[in-house]
Amino acid sequence: MSFIIPSLIDSPGNQKTLYGFVIVMSLISIAIGIGLFKYKNWGRKILIFFSGYVIFTKFLLVSHLVTFTGNTIAFMSNNAKDTMSLIYHIVILIVFNLKSIKCEMH
C-alpha cells in the first residue's frame, strides 16, 4: 500500500485504472484466502475459476491475440512472469480439483 497510494496520487490516469484493478483483484484474493482458510467450498470454486481465467489469458498473451501494457513489476521479463504464472495456476487447477481436496472443502 505504501507503493500504491503515492502512485495513485501522482500518477497519470491510466496508472490509476491499473492500480484500481490491482486493488480489486487483491480484495478478491483476500476473500478467496479467507474462504480457503475456513474450508469453504465457494473459496475453492472461485479460486479454480480465477486460475482458469488466468490460464486462458496467458494463452491469449502467448498467441499474441491480446497485449498487456500495464506492467507493474519490472525485475523479470514478461515471458518469465507469464510462464511462472501459467505454471502456478495450472498447479492450482490440478490440486484444488483433487477428490481429497473437494471432500475436505464440503
Side-chain angles (χ1 to χ4, degrees):
M1 292 306 282
S2 64
F3 170 73
I4 292 174
I5 292 172
S7 298
L8 285 172
I9 294 169
D10 295 330
S11 68
N14 189 25
Q15 291 293 334
K16 289 180 184 178
T17 304
L18 174 64
Y19 289 129
F21 173 77
V22 169
I23 289 169
V24 168
M25 299 294 15
S26 297
L27 293 173
I28 291 171
S29 295
I30 290 168
I32 291 170
I34 291 169
L36 293 174
F37 184 72
K38 293 185 174 192
Y39 291 91
K40 299 294 183 183
N41 197 38
W42 59 263
R44 183 186 69 82
K45 287 181 179 180
I46 295 172
L47 179 62
I48 289 169
F49 169 79
F50 276 108
S51 291
Y53 172 77
V54 168
I55 291 168
F56 177 71
T57 59
K58 295 302 175 185
F59 282 122
L60 291 176
L61 287 168
V62 169
S63 65
H64 301 288
L65 292 172
V66 297
T67 58
F68 178 68
T69 59
N71 191 15
T72 58
I73 302 172
F75 68 88
M76 64 185 346
S77 73
N78 283 340
N79 286 339
K81 285 188 285 189
D82 288 339
T83 301
M84 293 296 291
S85 177
L86 180 63
I87 292 168
Y88 169 77
H89 287 92
I90 288 172
V91 169
I92 285 176
L93 280 180
I94 292 168
V95 169
F96 281 88
N97 276 304
L98 292 173
K99 192 173 191 174
S100 60
I101 299 292
K102 286 182 182 180
C103 291
E104 188 71 30
M105 300 299 285
H106 279 95

